[in-house]
């Protein structure tokens, strides 16, 4: 299954964290990295005061189920030293999100796919449009490029 993954970091050596996470993904024989966007520097959109983020989007192919993929991502997050914080939207060493899992629409206790915040996150829409401008969002039925064009929600702090 072709999946798109959002990746971000705003603590310590952000670039190194992202590259290490990508390295760990590549080491998994059930995950094939197909494409990666450039790194985008963005301001935090919410949460307590914190440093800027580096973000990227990856295109991968995997045989893992969505929930297994999520577990793999959590393992990578903890391997890179991410502590679970009770504070919503607080700074993080690494964050991996499943943006799309094929064309599947999933709503479970642990997973919402497509990721519900895609359309509100310029730091997702920009790198996504770089690597997959024609990708169609299975819920909105619009391309990544179109969602980026329509993105105009001013974010309140
Ligand atoms: P975060 O603090 O943003 O890393 O939130 C992580 C939690 O969000 C995970 O424990 C997941 O259960 C949940 N979640 C829901 N939908 C997704 C998704 N599409 N990708 C990753 N995590 C998700």
């Amino acid at each position: 299954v072709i999946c798109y993954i959002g990746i971000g970091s705003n603590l310590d050596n952000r670039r190194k964290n992202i590259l290490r996470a990508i390295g760990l993904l590549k080491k998994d024989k059930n995950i094939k990295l197909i494409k990666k966007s450039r790194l985008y520097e963005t301001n935090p959109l919410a949460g307590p005061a914190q440093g800027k983020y580096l973000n990227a989007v990856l295109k991968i192919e995997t045989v893992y189920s969505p929930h297994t993929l999520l577990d793999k991502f959590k393992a990578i997050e903890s391997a890179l030293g991410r502590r679970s914080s009770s504070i919503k939207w607080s700074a993080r060493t690494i964050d991996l999100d499943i943006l799309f899992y094929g064309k599947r629409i999933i709503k479970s206790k642990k997973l919402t796919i497509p990721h519900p915040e895609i359309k509100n996150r310029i730091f997702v829409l920009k790198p996504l449009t770089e690597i997959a401008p024609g990708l169609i969002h299975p819920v909105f039925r619009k391309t990544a490029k179109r969602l980026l064009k329509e993105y105009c929600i001013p974010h309140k702090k």
Side-chain angles (χ1 to χ4, degrees):
V1 182
I2 299 289
C3 302
Y4 289 85
I5 306 308
I7 187 165
S9 169
N10 81 332
L11 271 185
D12 309 321
N13 189 330
R14 301 169 301 166
R15 194 184 139 79
K16 199 166 138 195
N17 292 336
I18 289 177
L19 295 180
R20 278 184 65 200
I22 294 174
L24 289 174
L25 287 172
K26 278 164 79 174
K27 258 172 79 179
D28 189 316
K29 62 180 189 328
N30 292 321
I31 296 176
K32 187 175 150 202
L33 179 66
I34 299 175
K35 248 184 197 174
K36 64 171 191 268
S37 75
R38 292 182 295 130
L39 296 178
Y40 290 75
E41 185 165 59
T42 53
N43 287 311
L45 295 179
Q50 55 187 295
K52 289 185 181 186
Y53 279 81
L54 276 187
N55 292 98
V57 168
L58 312 176
K59 179 183 185 181
I60 64 164
E61 189 176 1
T62 187
V63 293
Y64 287 135
S65 71
H67 285 90
T68 306
L69 192 61
L70 178 67
D71 289 343
K72 299 287 167 188
F73 287 0
K74 286 191 176 169
I76 291 176
E77 289 176 353
S78 45
L80 287 182
R82 177 170 173 185
R83 311 263 168 269
S84 45
S85 164
S86 52
I87 303 164
K88 212 175 178 194
W89 296 315
S90 55
R92 65 245 350 244
T93 323
I94 197 76
D95 186 39
L96 290 161
D97 287 325
I98 305 174
L99 303 173
F100 297 103
Y101 184 91
K103 292 191 173 105
R104 296 263 306 268
I105 296 168
I106 299 163
K107 273 195 184 125
S108 75
K109 223 173 112 192
K110 285 190 185 164
L111 268 184
T112 305
I113 295 176
H115 194 289
E117 291 299 319
I118 291 173
K119 65 174 189 323
N120 305 323
R121 291 181 169 173
I122 194 82
F123 63 82
V124 170
L125 291 173
K126 269 194 182 165
L128 182 66
T129 301
E130 178 200 329
I131 64 168
L135 178 75
I136 294 170
H137 190 298
V139 175
F140 304 133
R141 307 209 171 263
K142 289 175 181 175
T143 62
K145 194 176 168 185
R146 176 86 189 278
L147 289 174
L148 176 63
K149 227 173 163 180
E150 290 178 358
Y151 171 87
C152 61
I153 306 152
H155 281 274
K156 299 177 198 91
K157 282 243 164 164

